[in-house]
Amino acid sequence: MSLVDSAEPGLPLTDPAWWPEMLPPALKAALRQSGVSAPKDFPGGAELLQRLQGPSAAPPVWMRLAHALNGGPLRGKPHPEAHWCEAFLAVLALAWANLSEDQRRAHGLYPQALRCAGELQRTEWLDQQVTLHAQAWRAGEQPAAALVLLRTLKRLQRLQACQALVEHLGAWLASVPAGQVDPPMADWPAELAGGIAAVARGAESLDTLHWAQAWLPRLLPNLLARLAETPQPAASDPDAPPPHWLLHRDLAVIALCTLDLPVLRQLGELLCRRPLLPTICVPMLVDMLGRLAQFDAAQDAEALLALAAARLPRHPVLALERAKRALLDGVDELSLLPFFEPMDPGLPGYHAACSWFASQLAQAGAEAQAMDWYRRIEAVAPLSSLDQLRLAQLQARHDPTAQTAAEAPLFDEGVTPVLQQALAGLVTLLGEDPFHNPALSREAWASRCAASLPAFAQVLAALPPQPVGDVLVAVRQLRLLERAHASAAMWQQSFPFEFDPAYGRVDPLRYLALQEALCGHLQALADHVLRGPAPLHGGGGRLRQLIELLRFRCEAALSQDRPADALASIDQLAERIGTMAEAYLQALRERCALAEGDLATAAELRAGLRWGREAELQRLRPWPAWLAAEGTAEQRVLEAPAVLGHFESVRADGVVQRFPHATAATGLSLVAMRELRVRNSYLLIAREGGMLLPEPWHLSMGDYPYEHLQVLNRGRLACSLQPSGETRRITEPVLVLANLDATYHRNYYHWMVLILSRVRWLQAEGWLDRRPLLMPRELSGWMRSSLQDIGVRPEQLIEYADGETLQLADALVLSPLEYACRPLMDDLCRHLWRAAGLDPDQPPTPQRLLYISRLSAHRRPLVNEETIMAQAKALGFELLAPETLSLLDQVRLFANARGIAGPPGAAYTNLSWCQPGTRVLSIFKEEVNLPTFVDLSVQRGQQHRWLLGRNLPGFDRSRVVAAPFSVSLDLTQRELAWVAGA
């Protein structure tokens, strides 16, 4: 390509008479634009002007003019005016007419030619200079010109040419002894790092990222050596860039783009341990720490995060990551406030941090605080559609007139129109309610869901490559929908009977079919990028998004119990990305091995990781398999057959229906075990049986073991834990409750029905007088009080802390309990009646009407509850918040009740203290009425009736249980009167 643009600049004008005819048009245009009106102002002066008169001029004359331009209008200007750049290049082309390419490169004006070409974006000519003079660059010729070319290519984002030039210059520098670069006009490692960082940031191929990553071990020692030799600057200017900052910054960019976690840790620590942290360093440091928090579970990464947070206490990104770790370590949600309160709203990550904290507060029942944090977001930026939905749910209870919410689309504005169109078939499928429907069988529904996948595959086949970032946004939202549908599908696995329409309109098996369709769409869309020809399509620095896409794809496959498929997707990508993100992919592989229960492979993978190499790997087994693997027989000590009964439902149209109901058969066993270990408060680990896995009802509350800093990784059949450290050995014989997870759920129903009832059985059978019972030290106060209420003495307990590991020489384990057990609950009731001053053999005549309020609860809000409470009060009901009373006060109240009403929640556990014949009105929603509290009523011989309302329109259907709902006030008036016997 020619150095001179062939197009003539400007419009033809009349030239001054003193202008030589032979002046290039570009020079004439520059003279006009600069207002050169007299010969004395001509570049080079009148003498040069005189030599240009005549029909032609020799190249030396043009060379003098080129030097005059270089020393005049172009002098000292890093970015000179475009018209003088055009003029200079036009004159230089005449001056170089007889020179070869090598002679031109060696000429003193060549660097200025490169600058001017860069200002005019003559990119093709600049690219040519890299290839034309490759041998010269590799030999170290004209380093000043090479430096200008490198900087120009980097600025213009000519990434292929920049990459090639870096290779040439790198070969030269590698051949020159350190400190002998001649001339030493540049910080060459920093310059090369800048070029490599630009290439990595804009990379659209994995090969390019491989190339960039390969430079890190060549450049990082240079930075470390320089920092070791350079004294720390004086503290006079705290915002001055630190020594060698450009090299430090660009190496960090390369490590971020290639997910080189060890380099990120090293560079991050260098900054964190500086006595001063200049402002210019903060964004890069936060980016590095955020990436480490996302992809590195090593303990030293956590220490680095804490170190940075001490320097930057107001940064939202650091606050969020520290709060997440604190939550995993057992800190309650309200205690996370000190992390978030100091945050600066003007810093990046504020919206995400506030959103996460508000969501945690809402789940913890702190409604007012959650709404406050959503309003803090609104003060600086619009809420996302998901945050709008969450805030609307919080506000619904406080606005009785609200009967709807803003319609939330299945895919929000973040999903591109192209992908929304591609997912249109799935949207249509999701638009139909997965409810019991006699007109469409479950089989036909499942077939429709399955048929949506090949149709989607055809759509994807015709779709051009999509930017990985766009696909990731859609996949994130698919994952949220899939998880929501999975929770509803889990109901069928959690109860020992089929969910027919008696238990709500929702059909869990139809939800399961939808969940599988969502998983299939997610995996297909992820594979469109992961297995496509251009996985980084859409711009550089996208490896992080690619890895996150792989994680979602693997999670979807694992949720369908397909670990081999998940592993295949990991291996396919790993083959393409090499050692980049290697440790993270190893952890994903380990998760697949744990899902298959392959401890040998998991141990091999864990040994290849930098952190947690000494992890404890345990197989997960449910109770029967656990005992079989341990070779231990159980002694059956209690059998409780199913109890038959019935309940009633009042539909939204007022019709009362009657349905049969059978409680689950239950029982208890005792098992003697030697050298049983206890970890994380609730994990039981046998020598051969491994870790005890709860039954499906417990598993519906989260993956097991529950998230904790001690849990390194987990799968369906196995897990890896941090080494247990010091172990407390207990030699005396002890009692152990299986599934003692009270400190993780802290739920009244779980404690009373599944734990305290078993403690009472041990007490009644005299076991507590023979062996002490293990009990977590972190029990809530009301849990401790309940133990005292049933007469458990302190000396009958051995307490242990959550972080302790216990080794039990002689343990007698009482089997887990999943459902209410009639003989246990009857005995617990009689015992608590006596503790409360009541005689179970001469029960009082029930007189009281109790309305159980859930005004303080966030989940499942009944939006018109205050009006319903007024109706109840007018009929003689006492308005009650049982959580404000002691256990024995609750027992007295409910033992004297003839009628109970209100929205169901954990307080409905108090039905266990009510007398047979008590009328119970559970005010809930027609979508679902789970049988948990019906079990209690059937076992106690009570009259249980559901009054069914409806979820408010506009709330995501997938939040079927948690969504706000309302009930017909005419029906509440009628049914409350039924409870009262009026």
Side-chain angles (χ1 to χ4, degrees):
M1 179 183 176
S2 171
L3 183 62
V4 182
D5 196 330
S6 59
E8 285 197 15
L11 297 174
L13 297 172
T14 301
D15 295 335
W18 56 269
W19 280 11
E21 288 293 331
M22 67 182 68
L23 291 185
L27 179 56
K28 292 180 179 180
L31 293 171
R32 290 192 199 99
Q33 194 162 344
S34 299
V36 175
S37 57
K40 64 179 178 64
D41 299 322
F42 185 79
E47 180 187 353
L48 181 57
L49 181 63
Q50 182 64 36
R51 298 188 63 177
L52 290 169
Q53 300 292 343
S56 64
V61 178
W62 294 116
M63 190 67 74
R64 282 189 58 186
L65 179 56
H67 278 286
L69 292 171
N70 182 54
L74 299 178
R75 183 177 183 179
K77 294 182 179 179
H79 300 289
E81 296 91 337
H83 55 274
W84 283 120
C85 289
E86 293 274 9
F88 175 75
L89 293 180
V91 171
L92 193 61
L94 296 171
W96 283 354
N98 298 327
L99 300 184
S100 67
E101 290 293 341
D102 286 344
Q103 288 173 322
R104 293 181 181 190
R105 186 199 68 248
H107 197 277
L109 293 180
Y110 182 66
Q112 188 64 277
L114 294 173
R115 293 189 192 93
C116 289
E119 291 300 315
L120 299 174
Q121 298 192 24
R122 304 279 173 81
T123 52
E124 291 185 34
W125 183 81
L126 289 166
D127 291 351
Q128 282 182 349
Q129 303 311 296
V130 177
T131 54
L132 281 173
H133 307 298
Q135 292 303 317
W137 307 136
R138 298 179 77 86
E141 298 177 15
Q142 285 77 48
L147 181 61
V148 173
L149 181 57
L150 179 61
R151 291 174 175 175
T152 302
L153 293 172
K154 181 173 67 173
R155 180 169 59 85
L156 296 179
Q157 292 293 292
R158 303 299 294 176
L159 301 182
Q160 289 185 350
C162 189
Q163 180 178 350
L165 183 57
V166 167
E167 276 297 296
H168 300 327
L169 296 173
W172 161 53
L173 292 169
S175 67
V176 179
Q180 295 185 23
V181 178
D182 184 33
M185 84 297 291
D187 183 350
W188 281 105
E191 296 291 349
L192 291 184
I196 298 165
V199 172
R201 194 184 289 114
E204 291 209 5
S205 79
L206 291 169
D207 287 342
T208 302
L209 287 183
H210 289 153
W211 171 83
Q213 186 193 32
W215 276 93
L216 284 172
R218 297 170 63 179
L219 293 173
L220 184 59
N222 185 284
L223 172 64
L224 299 178
R226 291 176 178 213
L227 291 176
E229 297 168 358
T230 306
Q232 292 291 343
S236 57
D237 185 2
D239 283 335
H244 315 297
W245 166 240
L246 293 181
L247 178 58
H248 197 145
R249 179 201 64 191
D250 290 329
L251 290 180
V253 169
I254 300 168
L256 285 167
C257 291
T258 61
L259 286 183
D260 196 313
L261 302 181
V263 172
L264 285 177
R265 278 194 302 272
Q266 201 166 2
L267 294 175
E269 187 169 357
L270 286 173
L271 284 180
C272 284
R273 298 195 181 281
R274 284 182 48 80
L276 298 174
L277 185 61
T279 304
I280 194 174
C281 303
V282 170
M284 182 57 68
L285 175 61
V286 171
D287 283 349
M288 289 192 288
L289 294 176
R291 206 65 48 88
L292 287 170
Q294 183 177 5
F295 292 105
D296 190 358
Q299 288 182 327
D300 54 356
E302 296 175 21
L304 189 59
L305 188 67
L307 186 62
R311 310 287 296 274
L312 302 168
R314 304 190 65 199
H315 206 290
V317 172
L318 303 183
L320 176 59
E321 296 303 333
R322 293 183 68 213
K324 287 179 178 179
R325 279 161 172 72
L327 192 65
L328 291 179
D329 207 23
V331 176
D332 68 83
E333 291 82 358
L334 289 173
S335 297
L336 299 176
L337 182 62
F339 291 113
F340 295 98
E341 193 62 56
M343 290 191 308
D344 184 346
L347 291 176
Y350 182 77
H351 188 148
C354 290
S355 176
W356 182 88
F357 187 40
S359 175
Q360 297 299 316
L361 289 171
Q363 291 179 35
E367 291 187 11
Q369 294 95 321
M371 287 191 289
D372 174 65
W373 282 91
Y374 282 125
R375 293 190 182 103
R376 294 190 191 204
I377 299 174
E378 285 185 308
V380 297
L383 291 177
S384 68
S385 57
L386 182 59
D387 284 342
Q388 290 176 23
L389 183 67
R390 289 169 174 165
L391 179 58
Q393 177 161 338
L394 290 167
Q395 293 173 327
R397 182 196 302 281
H398 304 283
D399 183 5
T401 64
Q403 294 298 306
T404 187
E407 191 69 30
L410 287 172
F411 299 103
D412 66 23
E413 63 279 356
V415 179
T416 64
V418 171
L419 292 178
Q420 292 211 27
Q421 182 61 38
L423 292 163
L426 178 63
V427 172
T428 300
L429 191 63
L430 292 169
E432 300 184 32
D433 292 320
F435 293 164
H436 293 287
N437 180 6
L440 181 67
S441 68
R442 283 173 172 168
E443 293 74 16
W445 175 269
S447 295
R448 288 185 58 189
C449 292
S452 68
L453 294 176
F456 185 55
Q458 291 182 350
V459 171
L460 288 179
L463 204 65
Q466 297 296 300
V468 59
D470 292 349
V471 172
L472 180 59
V473 170
V475 163
R476 282 190 187 121
Q477 295 187 32
L478 283 170
R479 179 63 174 167
L480 286 173
L481 287 168
E482 184 269 328
R483 286 293 81 198
H485 283 73
S487 67
M490 192 74 178
W491 300 340
Q492 186 61 72
Q493 303 171 45
S494 303
F495 292 92
F497 55 83
E498 184 173 312
F499 265 74
D500 58 32
Y503 300 100
R505 297 177 65 200
V506 165
D507 183 352
L509 293 179
R510 294 178 194 246
Y511 262 90
L512 178 61
L514 269 180
Q515 180 209 357
E516 292 175 348
L518 283 161
C519 278
H521 281 76
L522 186 157
Q523 292 171 79
L525 185 55
D527 285 343
H528 180 70
V529 172
L530 294 170
R531 299 179 182 177
L536 295 184
H537 175 65
R542 303 299 171 90
L543 182 62
R544 173 188 61 82
Q545 296 174 329
L546 197 66
I547 299 300
E548 191 174 353
L549 196 64
L550 175 68
R551 176 175 65 84
F552 283 125
R553 196 245 183 265
C554 290
E555 287 175 350
L558 292 174
S559 69
Q560 294 181 298
D561 195 20
R562 294 167 52 203
D565 178 67
L567 182 60
S569 66
I570 297 168
D571 289 341
Q572 287 171 359
L573 184 62
E575 188 176 345
R576 302 177 72 178
I577 67 175
T579 59
M580 293 185 292
E582 186 175 30
Y584 189 76
L585 295 191
Q586 283 285 84
L588 282 181
R589 287 191 180 97
E590 181 198 27
R591 186 171 178 185
C592 295
L594 295 172
E596 291 187 304
D598 186 351
L599 295 188
T601 299
E604 183 179 335
L605 291 165
R606 174 58 56 180
L609 294 173
R610 189 183 64 84
W611 46 271
R613 291 177 180 173
E614 305 301 321
E616 178 182 333
L617 298 172
Q618 292 293 343
R619 182 72 184 260
L620 301 173
R621 292 184 173 94
W623 178 259
W626 191 60
L627 298 182
E630 190 67 14
T632 303
E634 60 181 323
Q635 177 190 355
R636 203 68 173 167
V637 294
L638 177 68
E639 294 287 354
V643 180
L644 303 180
H646 67 271
F647 65 92
E648 295 177 332
S649 291
V650 183
R651 298 189 325 209
D653 60 5
V655 174
V656 179
Q657 297 176 297
R658 184 181 178 92
F659 300 102
H661 179 74
T663 67
T666 55
L668 288 179
S669 299
L670 282 172
V671 178
M673 303 193 81
R674 298 288 180 181
E675 303 304 327
L676 181 69
R677 290 194 304 132
V678 181
R679 287 199 59 177
N680 288 36
S681 176
Y682 66 95
L683 298 177
L684 298 186
I685 303 172
R687 288 177 296 182
E688 301 297 331
M691 186 181 295
L692 176 61
L693 180 69
E695 298 301 317
W697 191 84
H698 267 76
L699 294 179
S700 67
M701 294 174 283
D703 291 338
Y704 197 87
Y706 306 125
E707 277 194 300
H708 191 277
L709 291 178
Q710 291 293 312
V711 179
L712 295 174
N713 214 339
R714 58 192 175 180
R716 188 176 64 89
L717 296 179
C719 68
S720 58
L721 307 174
Q722 292 275 17
S724 58
E726 186 175 348
T727 298
R728 173 184 168 196
R729 182 169 177 79
I730 298 178
T731 56
E732 66 178 303
V734 295
L735 295 165
V736 178
L737 295 179
N739 285 4
L740 180 52
D741 53 4
T743 59
Y744 278 78
H745 299 302
R746 300 192 185 276
N747 179 276
Y748 186 61
Y749 174 88
H750 287 228
W751 174 259
M752 303 303 297
V753 176
L754 306 181
I755 296 176
L756 191 66
S757 65
R758 287 188 289 160
V759 176
R760 168 57 197 156
W761 182 88
L762 290 170
Q763 181 189 52
E765 295 296 317
W767 281 107
L768 291 184
D769 294 325
R770 286 175 269 175
R771 292 174 175 238
L773 173 65
L774 289 183
M775 196 59 63
R777 188 172 297 153
E778 292 81 8
L779 291 179
S780 299
W782 59 268
M783 295 176 182
R784 289 186 175 277
S785 295
S786 69
L787 291 170
Q788 296 172 7
D789 290 337
I790 66 171
V792 175
R793 302 187 304 275
E795 63 268 21
Q796 293 177 315
L797 301 176
I798 292 181
E799 293 193 352
Y800 60 98
D802 175 78
E804 280 191 286
T805 296
L806 306 181
Q807 184 90 33
L808 310 178
D810 180 0
L812 193 61
V813 182
L814 186 60
S815 61
L817 191 62
E818 292 294 295
Y819 309 103
C821 177
R822 182 175 185 174
L824 294 187
M825 294 308 295
D826 283 352
D827 176 69
L828 182 61
C829 175
R830 292 175 65 85
H831 197 71
L832 286 173
W833 269 41
R834 292 191 186 97
L838 302 171
D839 185 350
D841 297 319
Q842 294 183 346
T845 301
Q847 297 292 335
R848 308 179 85 156
L849 297 172
L850 305 178
Y851 181 92
I852 303 175
S853 168
R854 277 183 58 86
L855 281 179
S856 62
H858 155 62
R859 299 184 74 244
R860 312 185 298 272
L862 174 56
V863 297
N864 49 355
E865 185 174 10
E866 291 185 356
T867 303
I868 295 169
M869 290 170 64
Q871 291 177 329
K873 187 175 183 179
L875 288 168
F877 282 79
E878 301 173 55
L879 306 182
L880 187 64
E883 66 272 13
T884 64
L885 304 174
S886 71
L887 172 59
L888 295 183
D889 283 342
Q890 293 179 66
V891 170
R892 294 184 194 97
L893 271 173
F894 283 85
N896 282 281
R898 62 186 172 91
I900 308 293
Y908 261 59
T909 307
N910 289 310
L911 296 179
S912 302
W913 329 133
C914 292
Q915 299 187 42
T918 302
R919 290 186 173 184
V920 180
L921 182 68
S922 294
I923 304 174
F924 204 43
K925 52 183 72 174
E926 63 180 9
E927 286 83 4
V928 59
N929 41 296
L930 297 175
T932 305
F933 300 115
V934 173
D935 280 355
L936 299 179
S937 286
V938 166
Q939 290 178 358
R940 296 291 294 166
Q942 298 159 0
Q943 303 177 61
H944 199 119
R945 177 178 286 186
W946 291 93
L947 173 56
L948 302 178
R950 288 177 177 164
N951 280 339
L952 297 191
F955 286 92
D956 189 347
R957 172 177 46 77
S958 62
R959 297 168 60 86
V960 60
V961 174
F965 69 102
S966 64
V967 183
S968 163
L969 294 177
D970 290 338
L971 289 179
T972 56
Q973 185 70 37
R974 188 188 83 180
E975 296 306 316
L976 287 169
W978 168 78
V979 175

